[in-house]
Amino acid sequence: MLHLWRIAVNSFREALREPVYFLMLFGALLLIGHYPWMTLFVFREQLKLVVDGAMATTMLFSLAVCVLCATSTVSREMRNGTVLLLLSKPINRWSFVVGKIVGITAASLLFCWICSFASVVSVYIAVDQFRADMTLYLFFVGLTFLACVAGMAANYLKGSSFSEYSVYAAVVLIGGILLYCLKFKAHPDLSLVDLGKALLLLSPAVVVMGVMAVGCSTRFDVVASMCVCTVFFFLGLISSYLFGGGSEDQLLSGVYSFLYAVIPNWQFFWMADALAVNRAIPTAYVWMAVGYAAIYSAVITVWAIVSFQNREAAISKDN
């Protein structure tokens, strides 16, 4: 377990040190913060568009970070021989796979939570359909840039990773402005409890994609892993339409049912439509979605462990 923990921690920090991680986080935060201005003068639809845009940005950017970090870190270690060095020590292959899954999934969840904090702040910035809270907006953007300054200071003074410490600073600063809004700002015309549940439901989707990305990265190369994850993502968006209706033919219906079970349905985790019509999100549904993600992740983890048992520990650079 000690080896697993160390691999998970190192994988978590490696993911945070990837330049693409912070670049996507910085871009997502600025995009979420600007949604209230993009939706001004949209009569009676501003809050809905802000929520939809913020949640879509959080989900898409988080899923992309899962795939990019997994394919970058795992595939790079496969190519430069780091995996071969690790496995030459008393470390089980399953410990390596599970440690990578835990570390990269944790980094992806941190990305998702930071964007979720920013999404709630963005809702507070959208005062009404004709104006936005300029002070809160400038405060939010200023703290986002201040996180960059904190990373620069850590890099200059201690030689630490700019990306990693900027992310740590973003957690504190964005979390702080969220607490300020919840404590001192007037609540928006929206159920914050349901908004919190909707944002929380994005985390299981990130976990599923993170496990899938790491599993593919231990088996395939960078391009192949990204292609597989992309195909699963787009098929999952329309799986209910493609395979959920069944068929009159018994054999074809069985095939549809199998594909519907194998391909993750991302619509289970998307509750923006319920928020748009002010429909309460049951707590039981949240737990059901978490259970679905847990079962799916466990199956993919087992597949990744089994498939990695006979996998070459290093990839030839000539391939």
Side-chain angles (χ1 to χ4, degrees):
M1 292 299 294
L2 180 61
H3 294 311
L4 189 153
W5 171 254
R6 288 177 176 173
I7 292 173
V9 172
N10 288 334
S11 301
F12 174 81
R13 299 190 65 182
E14 285 175 8
L16 264 59
R17 290 171 179 172
E18 289 291 330
V20 68
Y21 186 100
F22 181 74
L23 286 175
M24 295 195 70
L25 178 62
F26 184 74
L29 291 178
L30 290 183
L31 188 59
I32 292 172
H34 281 82
Y35 278 128
W37 298 100
M38 299 178 189
T39 56
L40 284 177
F41 307 108
V42 180
F43 295 101
R44 301 181 182 276
E45 296 291 337
Q46 186 203 26
L47 199 57
K48 174 183 179 300
L49 292 176
V50 169
V51 172
D52 285 356
M55 288 184 60
T57 301
T58 299
M59 185 173 185
L60 291 176
F61 276 62
S62 298
L63 296 180
V65 162
C66 287
V67 178
L68 292 173
C69 288
T71 55
S72 177
T73 57
V74 177
S75 298
R76 182 175 63 243
E77 290 184 1
M78 296 285 288
R79 284 190 171 278
N80 62 21
T82 305
V83 176
L84 190 62
L85 179 62
L86 283 174
L87 297 181
S88 65
K89 299 179 180 181
I91 298 177
N92 296 323
R93 287 186 174 233
W94 70 266
S95 298
F96 172 79
V97 174
V98 176
K100 286 294 180 183
I101 288 175
V102 172
I104 293 177
T105 301
S108 304
L109 282 176
L110 181 62
F111 185 101
C112 180
W113 292 341
I114 296 174
C115 291
S116 297
F117 295 165
S119 299
V120 179
V121 175
S122 182
V123 170
Y124 276 96
I125 295 175
V127 176
D128 56 47
Q129 57 192 346
F130 298 112
R131 64 189 180 94
D133 191 331
M134 188 66 178
T135 303
L136 184 59
Y137 163 76
L138 293 176
F139 195 35
F140 173 80
V141 173
L143 290 181
T144 303
F145 280 96
L146 184 59
C148 300
V149 174
M152 292 169 57
N155 178 263
Y156 178 76
L157 297 175
K158 299 174 56 179
S160 305
S161 169
F162 163 77
S163 176
E164 181 183 4
Y165 279 82
S166 296
V167 173
Y168 295 152
V171 174
V172 176
L173 297 174
I174 303 301
I177 192 174
L178 172 62
L179 293 177
Y180 167 80
C181 292
L182 295 174
K183 182 70 174 179
F184 299 105
K185 303 293 289 186
H187 289 287
D189 187 18
L190 178 71
S191 173
L192 291 179
V193 174
D194 289 328
L195 177 60
K197 291 179 180 178
L199 292 171
L200 182 63
L201 278 171
L202 299 180
S203 296
V206 172
V207 171
V208 171
M209 181 57 81
V211 174
M212 185 182 301
V214 176
C216 292
S217 298
T218 57
R219 193 64 192 173
F220 307 115
D221 205 349
V222 177
V223 177
S225 299
M226 295 184 68
C227 290
V228 170
C229 293
T230 302
V231 169
F232 266 85
F233 172 71
F234 284 108
L235 285 178
L237 288 177
I238 56 176
S239 63
S240 296
Y241 174 76
L242 293 177
F243 314 117
S247 174
E248 295 181 357
D249 184 86
Q250 187 173 1
L251 178 60
L252 194 59
S253 179
V255 174
Y256 281 177
S257 299
F258 173 76
L259 292 175
Y260 190 69
V262 169
I263 298 174
N265 191 336
W266 307 114
Q267 296 296 331
F268 287 163
F269 312 107
W270 182 254
M271 290 289 105
D273 297 335
L275 293 176
V277 295
N278 293 321
R279 180 177 298 175
I281 301 174
T283 304
Y285 181 85
V286 177
W287 285 111
M288 183 181 68
V290 171
Y292 170 81
I295 294 172
Y296 199 96
S297 300
V299 172
I300 297 298
T301 301
V302 172
W303 168 79
I305 293 173
V306 172
S307 64
F308 190 65
Q309 292 300 317
N310 299 321
R311 180 75 161 89
E312 289 292 336
I315 301 176
S316 174
K317 295 182 179 180
D318 298 329
N319 291 341

